[in-house]
Amino acid sequence: MALVVQKYGGSSVADASCIKRVAQRIVATKKAGNDVVVIVSAMGDTTDELLDLAEQVSPLPPGRELDMLLTSGERISMALLAMAIANLGHEARSFTGSQAGVITDSTHGKARIIDVTPGRLRGALDQGHIAIVAGFQGVSQDTKDITTLGRGGSDTTAVALAAALEADVCEIYTDVDGIFTADPRIVPAARKIPKISYEEMMEMAACGAKILHLRCVEYARRFDLPIHVRSSFSTKEGTWVVSGPYSEGTEMEQPIISGVAHDRSEAKITVVGVPDKVGEAATIFKTLADAEINIDMIVQNVSAAATGRTDISFTLPTTDASTALTSLKKIQERVGFESLLFDDQIGKVSLVGAGMRSHPGVTATFFAALADAGVNIEMISTSEIRISVIVEQDGVDAAVAAAHRAFDLDADQVEAVVYGGTGR
Amino acid sequence: MALVVQKYGGSSVADASCIKRVAQRIVATKKAGNDVVVIVSAMGDTTDELLDLAEQVSPLPPGRELDMLLTSGERISMALLAMAIANLGHEARSFTGSQAGVITDSTHGKARIIDVTPGRLRGALDQGHIAIVAGFQGVSQDTKDITTLGRGGSDTTAVALAAALEADVCEIYTDVDGIFTADPRIVPAARKIPKISYEEMMEMAACGAKILHLRCVEYARRFDLPIHVRSSFSTKEGTWVVSGPYSEGTEMEQPIISGVAHDRSEAKITVVGVPDKVGEAATIFKTLADAEINIDMIVQNVSAAATGRTDISFTLPTTDASTALTSLKKIQERVGFESLLFDDQIGKVSLVGAGMRSHPGVTATFFAALADAGVNIEMISTSEIRISVIVEQDGVDAAVAAAHRAFDLDADQVEAVVYGGTGR
């Protein structure tokens, strides 16, 4: 008997009929001889509706109370799901994050899980019950207050509970068939990736692939827990996220590039005319760090000898831009830079693939494809298994499509990619 | 410094603007130098909407899950209320029933409070915070599951917490000005009762006055906790429910009758032709008790000597009628009664007043008033401070109005009633 942890997102439990459908799927898994723990998000737009209510009451609600409010969303969906399962003749018990033993720190709105004590879940499983758990929420160790885990929180709950319960697999149900080689809305020829390593998935998530959140993949990697990302609307196999990286050569079928991710949510700030003295760049980035701004890519121009000054550009989430600009403005005089430029019409396009390690020339092929597509590269950043470029936002679609084609990821070339070796 | 417990019902927190208004009232109480604990119900129609969702998912939802679902309603309202208070510059902390220490038995849907351990509330008060508590809910001592207290649950939560915290007063806010001598929709001349004893209030509540639930008054009486029922839409004094009964003679202004209550929610069942043998009535009522049906009034006719049979009539909540009829049908052969009659077109009209103890002739005056109004009496039941009659439902309004007038309760006679002694 296996222990299966399943997570259903908001769109999978959007209304009563969705909930009944999900209940049937859960019961089928139970009937197949598995122990089942289900993590569920709030129904469809519930969270947005609750946020809207909060906004009507307060422009800046205290985090503790906002968490108390938002966690009612999962409470509703999990109770309804347990009812629907009971209707099918199976025993289900719903548990809040607190009851399920999801212990967090006290950072309301983006709490981190620091312990999982799933005693009540084990008890329910021992009695043959299906356990339903509220995703996205926990209880703080210090204050015993209700917390939320922030973005990707329900996925993280699922992986954390699966790890603590030593589950055989964590199935993440969504409204698409799995992880694709690129966004199918941009590249109709994109294909589903059957298997991807944690490392590649983390790069994909960090670079804008929205199906799985970085945090949850990190967590799964730490505990070597297989994740199966699949659609709640079909029984097809989805994408398995498993331990890697594959050692090159042992899996001949591995493509060089697993996928092409893109992200339109970043902006670029350029600090113009920074005096080229030791410590000035440090001051700038210390200021941004103090304002809790996550910087992504950084480029510093070569200092112009005539002026002794340089330009520093960096990218950051667009939502953090005004805070960043305000903070930098405050240190302009002290640092002595000339001005600030701001551009939110940018996009990031990333190639991700463990295979690129052993294949020189990936960068050249990528850049050539972008040039052929008429897309100009503004910034570049690389890791061992990723190359990201910043391009103008209007060029993102063309860049993604060109890269997808250049690395033979289009669906009509699948056979060649999957079975034809890596000799390109 | 006093400790004030306030309870706001669903209509007082129906939307964002209502919540902000209530927040101002709470802050005003705090600013006046009081410690404040607030118990809040779910917003307006939330509970009905959640019940509707449950119905869409399951015709017979498990009690545990229904409680989990419904308790999200107060979670929403209490978090929003805490936010609104924070907006006004005061610290508020919301607590679920479980967090507030409302410990109950495990009877889902109508749990009873068996202990109150308000340590977290005391902690919040000690820090100068306003504590907001979800009404209507608790946590079961045995299973640690979330429970709801059933009808009148938020009032009961308020009184229980007020008692445990040794509050100076429990203010129950509602959408009317207090307890009236009769329903003002039926008797426009009805007036607000400034002060009423627990015993009278319990009789009023048991007889259909819907402002306060019987349970909560019983609880307050046990702990001798003053309840102040008042409107959340005005600052007028409402009705004080306090310890009594008043010893006759010491309070000359006390009227004979405190008020006239009515109830249209009961039905009458008549068991026709019951053999007049020892134990038959016991069998009938044992059967009803086993089916968990609450019987109100009972009348047994004098046995007809010729047949050796008698008729037994009783009243019960109309909602329980079909269960009762089914249960009785099953024992018809064993008991040997002839048939069952059912009438849901009845109403109960009750006179309540501690003053009637020392005033003979109340019954005569009451019955004469009903006769003058052309209302026929079908059943009668009395206690030391109450007389109730069952009449046909169409006659309820006329009966209430006639009784109200006969006992000088109409508003244009208030001066006489309140100050003029009891010499009638």
Side-chain angles (χ1 to χ4, degrees):
Chain A
M1 183 157 68
L3 171 56
V4 177
V5 171
Q6 301 186 327
K7 180 260 171 176
Y8 293 93
S11 59
S12 300
V13 291
D15 58 29
S17 65
C18 288
I19 288 172
K20 290 187 205 174
R21 204 168 41 71
V22 165
Q24 285 179 324
R25 188 162 202 131
I26 293 166
V27 166
T29 309
K30 173 76 180 166
K31 276 186 175 167
N34 301 293
D35 277 342
V36 189
V37 174
V38 177
I39 284 76
V40 69
S41 301
M43 293 167 74
D45 304 324
T46 308
T47 303
D48 287 338
E49 287 165 17
L50 291 172
L51 281 171
D52 183 54
L53 265 176
E55 203 165 275
Q56 287 176 45
V57 167
S58 171
L60 201 68
R64 180 189 188 279
E65 301 305 326
L66 195 58
D67 280 357
M68 184 66 94
L69 179 73
L70 294 181
T71 49
S72 61
E74 290 81 29
R75 199 177 184 95
I76 293 170
S77 55
M78 73 183 190
L80 291 172
L81 186 53
M83 290 175 195
I85 291 171
N87 247 8
L88 299 173
H90 285 256
E91 292 277 339
R93 296 284 181 275
S94 67
F95 297 95
T96 63
S98 169
Q99 290 176 334
V102 179
I103 315 293
T104 73
D105 62 19
S106 322
T107 319
H108 288 289
K110 46 178 180 180
R112 294 196 69 85
I113 297 176
I114 52 182
D115 196 8
V116 180
T117 54
R120 291 191 70 177
L121 299 189
R122 277 191 216 281
L125 294 176
D126 288 348
Q127 291 176 64
H129 298 159
I130 295 166
I132 315 287
V133 181
F136 179 67
Q137 56 179 255
V139 62
S140 76
Q141 192 166 47
D142 296 341
T143 62
K144 309 296 176 215
D145 285 329
I146 304 301
T147 53
T148 64
L149 307 180
R151 281 183 59 196
S154 289
D155 290 354
T156 306
T157 305
V159 171
L161 286 174
L165 292 165
E166 298 180 337
D168 296 276
V169 58
C170 178
E171 298 182 338
I172 305 279
Y173 285 91
T174 175
D175 51 3
V176 295
D177 284 337
I179 311 292
F180 278 71
T181 50
D183 186 336
R185 285 168 299 187
I186 295 180
V187 184
R191 59 188 181 77
K192 187 174 68 189
I193 303 171
K195 198 158 102 173
I196 190 169
S197 68
Y198 296 123
E199 291 75 14
E200 289 166 302
M201 192 62 235
M202 282 162 65
E203 294 280 10
M204 294 279 278
C207 293
K210 294 191 179 62
I211 310 295
L212 281 185
H213 202 264
L214 178 58
R215 251 173 109 176
C216 117
V217 188
E218 277 179 330
Y219 210 111
R221 179 185 180 224
R222 197 177 330 144
F223 291 92
D224 197 13
L225 176 82
I227 299 180
H228 188 186
V229 180
R230 56 196 305 195
S231 168
S232 64
F233 297 91
S234 83
T235 56
K236 278 192 284 196
E237 285 273 304
T239 299
W240 284 86
V241 186
V242 290
S243 64
Y246 317 126
S247 62
E248 292 83 6
T250 58
E251 300 211 24
M252 285 302 288
E253 75 278 13
Q254 190 194 1
I256 304 171
I257 300 301
S258 291
V260 185
H262 70 278
D263 186 356
R264 288 187 172 88
S265 69
E266 295 195 346
K268 183 174 72 170
I269 289 176
T270 303
V271 188
V272 178
V274 181
D276 197 3
K277 292 185 300 191
V278 172
E280 296 298 19
T283 304
I284 288 170
F285 289 104
K286 171 77 165 56
T287 300
L288 295 168
D290 289 346
E292 293 190 4
I293 288 160
N294 286 318
I295 302 300
D296 181 16
M297 292 163 64
I298 303 173
V299 169
Q300 178 167 353
N301 292 354
V302 177
S303 172
T307 62
R309 285 172 182 273
T310 185
D311 298 341
I312 298 175
S313 293
F314 61 89
T315 62
L316 76 175
T318 304
T319 46
D320 286 345
S322 72
T323 310
L325 290 168
T326 309
S327 305
L328 291 174
K329 208 74 196 165
K330 283 187 194 150
I331 58 161
Q332 178 164 9
E333 208 168 321
R334 177 146 60 94
V335 174
F337 63 80
E338 289 163 8
S339 61
L340 293 169
L341 301 177
F342 173 66
D343 183 3
D344 62 358
Q345 294 302 302
I346 62 164
K348 184 165 69 167
V349 177
S350 304
L351 287 184
V352 174
M356 70 170 71
R357 275 202 196 94
S358 53
H359 288 269
V362 168
T363 308
T365 307
F366 183 28
F367 290 2
L370 296 188
D372 288 349
V375 177
N376 191 41
I377 298 171
E378 298 185 16
M379 295 170 85
I380 301 167
S381 140
T382 61
S383 80
E384 208 185 352
I385 60 170
R386 176 187 52 81
I387 306 170
S388 297
V389 297
I390 296 294
V391 301
E392 63 174 359
Q393 204 164 76
D394 289 348
V396 168
D397 288 7
V400 171
H404 201 265
R405 204 177 316 108
F407 288 95
D408 296 342
L409 293 172
D410 284 8
D412 55 353
Q413 300 166 327
V414 168
E415 294 298 307
V417 171
V418 175
Y419 302 111
T422 52
R424 263 149 290 138
Chain B
M1 183 157 68
L3 171 55
V4 178
V5 171
Q6 301 186 327
K7 180 259 172 176
Y8 293 92
S11 59
S12 299
V13 292
D15 59 29
S17 66
C18 288
I19 288 173
K20 290 187 206 173
R21 203 169 41 73
V22 165
Q24 285 178 324
R25 185 160 203 134
I26 293 166
V27 166
T29 309
K30 173 76 180 165
K31 276 186 175 167
N34 302 293
D35 277 342
V36 189
V37 174
V38 177
I39 284 77
V40 69
S41 301
M43 292 167 74
D45 303 323
T46 308
T47 303
D48 287 338
E49 286 165 18
L50 291 172
L51 281 172
D52 183 54
L53 265 176
E55 202 165 275
Q56 287 176 45
V57 166
S58 170
L60 201 68
R64 179 187 187 279
E65 302 304 326
L66 195 58
D67 280 357
M68 184 67 94
L69 179 74
L70 294 181
T71 49
S72 61
E74 289 82 29
R75 201 178 183 95
I76 293 170
S77 55
M78 74 184 190
L80 292 171
L81 186 53
M83 290 175 193
I85 291 171
N87 248 8
L88 299 174
H90 285 255
E91 292 278 338
R93 296 282 181 278
S94 68
F95 297 95
T96 63
S98 169
Q99 291 175 335
V102 180
I103 315 293
T104 72
D105 62 20
S106 322
T107 318
H108 287 290
K110 46 178 178 179
R112 294 196 69 84
I113 297 176
I114 53 182
D115 197 9
V116 180
T117 54
R120 292 190 70 177
L121 300 189
R122 277 191 217 280
L125 294 175
D126 288 348
Q127 290 176 65
H129 299 158
I130 294 167
I132 315 288
V133 181
F136 178 65
Q137 56 178 256
V139 62
S140 77
Q141 191 166 48
D142 296 341
T143 61
K144 309 294 175 215
D145 284 330
I146 304 302
T147 53
T148 64
L149 306 181
R151 280 183 59 198
S154 289
D155 290 353
T156 306
T157 304
V159 170
L161 286 174
L165 292 165
E166 298 179 337
D168 296 275
V169 59
C170 178
E171 298 182 338
I172 305 279
Y173 285 91
T174 176
D175 51 4
V176 294
D177 284 337
I179 312 291
F180 278 70
T181 50
D183 186 337
R185 285 168 299 188
I186 294 180
V187 183
R191 57 185 182 79
K192 187 174 68 187
I193 303 172
K195 198 158 102 173
I196 190 171
S197 68
Y198 296 123
E199 291 75 16
E200 289 166 301
M201 192 62 235
M202 282 162 65
E203 293 279 10
M204 293 280 278
C207 293
K210 295 192 179 61
I211 310 294
L212 280 185
H213 201 265
L214 178 58
R215 252 172 109 176
C216 117
V217 188
E218 278 178 330
Y219 211 111
R221 180 186 180 222
R222 196 177 331 145
F223 292 92
D224 197 12
L225 176 83
I227 299 179
H228 187 187
V229 180
R230 56 195 304 195
S231 168
S232 63
F233 297 90
S234 84
T235 56
K236 278 191 283 195
E237 285 272 305
T239 298
W240 284 85
V241 186
V242 291
S243 64
Y246 316 126
S247 62
E248 293 83 4
T250 59
E251 301 212 20
M252 286 300 289
E253 75 276 13
Q254 189 193 358
I256 304 173
I257 300 301
S258 291
V260 185
H262 70 278
D263 186 356
R264 288 188 173 88
S265 68
E266 295 196 345
K268 181 175 71 171
I269 290 176
T270 303
V271 189
V272 179
V274 182
D276 197 4
K277 290 185 299 189
V278 171
E280 296 297 18
T283 305
I284 287 170
F285 289 105
K286 170 80 165 55
T287 301
L288 295 168
D290 289 347
E292 293 190 3
I293 288 161
N294 285 316
I295 301 302
D296 182 15
M297 290 162 65
I298 304 174
V299 169
Q300 179 167 356
N301 291 355
V302 175
S303 172
T307 61
R309 286 172 181 275
T310 185
D311 298 341
I312 298 175
S313 293
F314 61 88
T315 63
L316 77 177
T318 304
T319 46
D320 287 344
S322 72
T323 310
L325 290 168
T326 309
S327 305
L328 291 174
K329 207 73 196 165
K330 284 187 193 147
I331 57 161
Q332 179 164 8
E333 208 170 322
R334 178 146 59 92
V335 173
F337 62 81
E338 288 162 12
S339 61
L340 294 168
L341 300 179
F342 173 65
D343 182 5
D344 62 358
Q345 296 301 302
I346 62 165
K348 184 166 69 168
V349 176
S350 304
L351 286 186
V352 175
M356 71 170 72
R357 274 201 196 98
S358 53
H359 287 269
V362 169
T363 308
T365 306
F366 183 27
F367 290 4
L370 297 188
D372 288 349
V375 177
N376 189 41
I377 298 172
E378 299 185 16
M379 296 169 85
I380 301 167
S381 137
T382 62
S383 81
E384 206 184 355
I385 60 171
R386 176 185 53 79
I387 307 170
S388 297
V389 296
I390 297 294
V391 300
E392 63 173 0
Q393 205 163 74
D394 288 348
V396 168
D397 288 8
V400 171
H404 201 265
R405 205 180 315 111
F407 288 94
D408 295 343
L409 294 172
D410 284 10
D412 55 352
Q413 299 164 324
V414 168
E415 293 299 307
V417 171
V418 176
Y419 301 111
T422 52
R424 268 152 290 136

PDB file of all heavy atoms in Angstrom, chain A residues 53-64:
ATOM      1  N   LEU A  53     -12.654  42.263   0.293  1.00  0.00           N
ATOM      2  CA  LEU A  53     -13.340  42.639   1.539  1.00  0.00           C
ATOM      3  C   LEU A  53     -12.373  43.371   2.474  1.00  0.00           C
ATOM      4  O   LEU A  53     -12.723  44.402   3.058  1.00  0.00           O
ATOM      5  CB  LEU A  53     -13.846  41.388   2.252  1.00  0.00           C
ATOM      6  CG  LEU A  53     -15.282  40.940   2.018  1.00  0.00           C
ATOM      7  CD1 LEU A  53     -15.552  39.633   2.745  1.00  0.00           C
ATOM      8  CD2 LEU A  53     -16.261  42.010   2.493  1.00  0.00           C
ATOM      9  N   ALA A  54     -11.167  42.824   2.605  1.00  0.00           N
ATOM     10  CA  ALA A  54     -10.176  43.442   3.491  1.00  0.00           C
ATOM     11  C   ALA A  54      -9.884  44.868   3.044  1.00  0.00           C
ATOM     12  O   ALA A  54      -9.782  45.787   3.859  1.00  0.00           O
ATOM     13  CB  ALA A  54      -8.902  42.614   3.507  1.00  0.00           C
ATOM     14  N   GLU A  55      -9.778  45.033   1.733  1.00  0.00           N
ATOM     15  CA  GLU A  55      -9.468  46.357   1.187  1.00  0.00           C
ATOM     16  C   GLU A  55     -10.591  47.359   1.500  1.00  0.00           C
ATOM     17  O   GLU A  55     -10.340  48.532   1.759  1.00  0.00           O
ATOM     18  CB  GLU A  55      -9.296  46.221  -0.319  1.00  0.00           C
ATOM     19  CG  GLU A  55      -8.467  47.307  -0.948  1.00  0.00           C
ATOM     20  CD  GLU A  55      -8.051  46.884  -2.349  1.00  0.00           C
ATOM     21  OE1 GLU A  55      -7.033  46.182  -2.490  1.00  0.00           O
ATOM     22  OE2 GLU A  55      -8.783  47.239  -3.289  1.00  0.00           O
ATOM     23  N   GLN A  56     -11.829  46.855   1.469  1.00  0.00           N
ATOM     24  CA  GLN A  56     -12.960  47.730   1.787  1.00  0.00           C
ATOM     25  C   GLN A  56     -12.901  48.211   3.233  1.00  0.00           C
ATOM     26  O   GLN A  56     -13.404  49.273   3.580  1.00  0.00           O
ATOM     27  CB  GLN A  56     -14.281  46.994   1.569  1.00  0.00           C
ATOM     28  CG  GLN A  56     -14.653  46.777   0.114  1.00  0.00           C
ATOM     29  CD  GLN A  56     -15.927  45.951   0.009  1.00  0.00           C
ATOM     30  OE1 GLN A  56     -16.894  46.190   0.717  1.00  0.00           O
ATOM     31  NE2 GLN A  56     -15.921  44.973  -0.867  1.00  0.00           N
ATOM     32  N   VAL A  57     -12.312  47.372   4.092  1.00  0.00           N
ATOM     33  CA  VAL A  57     -12.293  47.688   5.519  1.00  0.00           C
ATOM     34  C   VAL A  57     -11.044  48.476   5.892  1.00  0.00           C
ATOM     35  O   VAL A  57     -11.091  49.384   6.713  1.00  0.00           O
ATOM     36  CB  VAL A  57     -12.381  46.389   6.351  1.00  0.00           C
ATOM     37  CG1 VAL A  57     -12.042  46.656   7.803  1.00  0.00           C
ATOM     38  CG2 VAL A  57     -13.763  45.795   6.227  1.00  0.00           C
ATOM     39  N   SER A  58      -9.912  48.114   5.288  1.00  0.00           N
ATOM     40  CA  SER A  58      -8.649  48.712   5.713  1.00  0.00           C
ATOM     41  C   SER A  58      -7.663  48.782   4.562  1.00  0.00           C
ATOM     42  O   SER A  58      -7.470  47.809   3.845  1.00  0.00           O
ATOM     43  CB  SER A  58      -8.055  47.872   6.849  1.00  0.00           C
ATOM     44  OG  SER A  58      -6.755  48.310   7.128  1.00  0.00           O
ATOM     45  N   PRO A  59      -7.009  49.936   4.391  1.00  0.00           N
ATOM     46  CA  PRO A  59      -6.022  50.052   3.314  1.00  0.00           C
ATOM     47  C   PRO A  59      -4.759  49.249   3.627  1.00  0.00           C
ATOM     48  O   PRO A  59      -4.049  48.842   2.715  1.00  0.00           O
ATOM     49  CB  PRO A  59      -5.731  51.545   3.264  1.00  0.00           C
ATOM     50  CG  PRO A  59      -6.075  52.058   4.611  1.00  0.00           C
ATOM     51  CD  PRO A  59      -7.159  51.187   5.148  1.00  0.00           C
ATOM     52  N   LEU A  60      -4.472  49.053   4.899  1.00  0.00           N
ATOM     53  CA  LEU A  60      -3.232  48.371   5.275  1.00  0.00           C
ATOM     54  C   LEU A  60      -3.524  47.426   6.432  1.00  0.00           C
ATOM     55  O   LEU A  60      -3.184  47.700   7.577  1.00  0.00           O
ATOM     56  CB  LEU A  60      -2.182  49.413   5.695  1.00  0.00           C
ATOM     57  CG  LEU A  60      -0.733  48.945   5.623  1.00  0.00           C
ATOM     58  CD1 LEU A  60      -0.295  48.738   4.188  1.00  0.00           C
ATOM     59  CD2 LEU A  60       0.172  49.935   6.331  1.00  0.00           C
ATOM     60  N   PRO A  61      -4.163  46.300   6.147  1.00  0.00           N
ATOM     61  CA  PRO A  61      -4.576  45.408   7.233  1.00  0.00           C
ATOM     62  C   PRO A  61      -3.383  44.766   7.922  1.00  0.00           C
ATOM     63  O   PRO A  61      -2.393  44.424   7.266  1.00  0.00           O
ATOM     64  CB  PRO A  61      -5.426  44.354   6.524  1.00  0.00           C
ATOM     65  CG  PRO A  61      -5.027  44.406   5.094  1.00  0.00           C
ATOM     66  CD  PRO A  61      -4.564  45.798   4.829  1.00  0.00           C
ATOM     67  N   PRO A  62      -3.449  44.580   9.251  1.00  0.00           N
ATOM     68  CA  PRO A  62      -2.372  43.895   9.963  1.00  0.00           C
ATOM     69  C   PRO A  62      -2.217  42.473   9.420  1.00  0.00           C
ATOM     70  O   PRO A  62      -3.213  41.802   9.133  1.00  0.00           O
ATOM     71  CB  PRO A  62      -2.878  43.841  11.416  1.00  0.00           C
ATOM     72  CG  PRO A  62      -3.976  44.846  11.500  1.00  0.00           C
ATOM     73  CD  PRO A  62      -4.556  44.959  10.139  1.00  0.00           C
ATOM     74  N   GLY A  63      -0.954  42.035   9.273  1.00  0.00           N
ATOM     75  CA  GLY A  63      -0.687  40.719   8.695  1.00  0.00           C
ATOM     76  C   GLY A  63      -1.360  39.584   9.445  1.00  0.00           C
ATOM     77  O   GLY A  63      -1.875  38.640   8.840  1.00  0.00           O
ATOM     78  N   ARG A  64      -1.358  39.676  10.771  1.00  0.00           N
ATOM     79  CA  ARG A  64      -1.981  38.615  11.558  1.00  0.00           C
ATOM     80  C   ARG A  64      -3.450  38.447  11.185  1.00  0.00           C
ATOM     81  O   ARG A  64      -3.946  37.337  11.010  1.00  0.00           O
ATOM     82  CB  ARG A  64      -1.863  38.967  13.048  1.00  0.00           C
ATOM     83  CG  ARG A  64      -2.486  37.922  13.971  1.00  0.00           C
ATOM     84  CD  ARG A  64      -2.525  38.428  15.424  1.00  0.00           C
ATOM     85  NE  ARG A  64      -2.945  37.383  16.348  1.00  0.00           N
ATOM     86  CZ  ARG A  64      -4.211  37.054  16.543  1.00  0.00           C
ATOM     87  NH1 ARG A  64      -5.173  37.646  15.892  1.00  0.00           N
ATOM     88  NH2 ARG A  64      -4.514  36.099  17.418  1.00  0.00           N
TER      89      ARG A  64
END
